[in-house]
């Protein structure tokens, strides 16, 4: 609804930067992932800037958002893009995406959802990562398990640990 109400004014979308998220860009600069022949998924892609940044590195990118208007906006902004922009619900994803993506970007989507949905959402995200793939989670973190005021609702250490319980391994944590 927010995308529709914005009527094409990106300034009305609080999280729209119209450039690759700075934390993602910093990770890309440090990690220098090779995109050629590799797949990437951007969860909750918004206006598409992170997806486009990955496509420039050669990744075959799929980017989704639950908002039909957001996806249409991406397609308008980037009419010649190689990114596959898709309307999709994180809680009901295409089964063909299971273990398909070499790189999965989750940038502040989980923290925008109520705490009681976290385990379900994490259980939907973890299986998207291919064997030997990478999940990059950009989020705020809280230092206890009490329910925070929000939104956003920062993730707890316990919630982040659910990714490990689902078979992923924490390789590095950067705090900003």
């Amino acid at each position: 609804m927010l995308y529709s109400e914005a009527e094409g004014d990106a300034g009305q979308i609080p999280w729209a930067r119209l450039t690759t998220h700075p934390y993602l860009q910093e990770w890309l600069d440090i990690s220098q992932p090779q995109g050629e022949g590799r797949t990437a998924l951007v969860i909750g892609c918004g206006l598409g800037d992170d997806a486009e940044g990955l496509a420039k590195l050669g990744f075959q990118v799929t980017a989704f958002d639950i908002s039909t208007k957001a996806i249409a906006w991406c397609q308008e902004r980037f009419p010649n893009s190689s990114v596959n922009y898709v309307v999709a619900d994180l809680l009901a994803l295409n089964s063909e995406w299971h273990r398909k993506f070499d790189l999965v970007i989750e940038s502040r989507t989980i923290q925008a959802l109520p705490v009681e949905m976290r385990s379900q959402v994490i259980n939907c995200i973890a299986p998207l990562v291919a064997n030997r793939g990478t999940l990059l989670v950009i989020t705020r973190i809280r230092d206890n398990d009490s329910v925070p005021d929000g939104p956003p609702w920062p993730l707890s250490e316990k919630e982040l640990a659910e990714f490990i319980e689902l078979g992923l391994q924490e390789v590095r944590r950067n705090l900003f």
Side-chain angles (χ1 to χ4, degrees):
M1 189 156 144
L2 184 64
Y3 291 102
S4 295
E5 291 174 357
E7 297 180 351
D9 178 6
Q12 299 300 310
I13 309 297
W15 48 85
R17 290 184 164 79
L18 303 182
T19 187
T20 304
H21 189 289
Y23 296 157
L24 172 57
Q25 188 60 59
E26 184 170 330
W27 181 83
L28 292 171
D29 292 343
I30 292 168
S31 301
Q32 297 186 340
Q34 301 302 308
E36 292 301 324
R38 299 182 72 216
T39 57
L41 177 70
V42 179
I43 296 170
C45 66
L47 298 183
D49 296 289
D50 292 345
E52 295 298 322
L54 294 172
K56 286 178 185 170
L57 294 175
F59 284 96
Q60 296 170 339
V61 181
T62 299
F64 76 89
D65 204 287
I66 196 166
S67 168
T68 303
K69 182 64 179 172
I71 295 302
W73 202 336
C74 291
Q75 292 166 334
E76 289 169 18
R77 287 186 68 209
F78 307 106
N80 300 314
S81 177
S82 65
V83 175
N84 178 27
Y85 287 106
V86 180
V87 176
D89 180 342
L90 179 57
L91 300 177
L93 294 174
N94 185 333
S95 61
E96 292 177 12
W97 291 2
H98 186 82
R99 302 272 181 247
K100 178 178 179 178
F101 299 98
D102 299 304
L103 176 61
V104 176
I105 305 297
E106 195 299 289
S107 181
R108 300 186 174 186
T109 302
I110 300 172
Q111 75 178 26
L113 299 171
V115 172
E116 58 271 10
M117 294 180 68
R118 299 289 170 78
S119 288
Q120 182 182 10
V121 170
I122 290 167
N123 273 282
C124 291
I125 292 172
L128 300 169
V129 183
N131 293 332
R132 297 185 161 179
T134 299
L135 169 64
L136 177 64
V137 177
I138 298 172
T139 189
R140 293 179 182 178
I141 300 174
R142 67 184 195 274
D143 56 6
N144 59 55
D145 288 326
S146 64
V147 178
D149 293 331
W153 297 280
L155 275 70
S156 69
E157 293 290 338
K158 185 177 178 182
E159 290 166 331
L160 287 170
E162 289 182 45
F163 285 112
I164 295 168
E165 293 167 17
L166 293 168
L168 299 176
Q169 171 184 356
E170 184 171 330
V171 174
R172 184 171 73 224
R173 183 179 296 200
N174 297 337
L175 299 177
F176 301 99

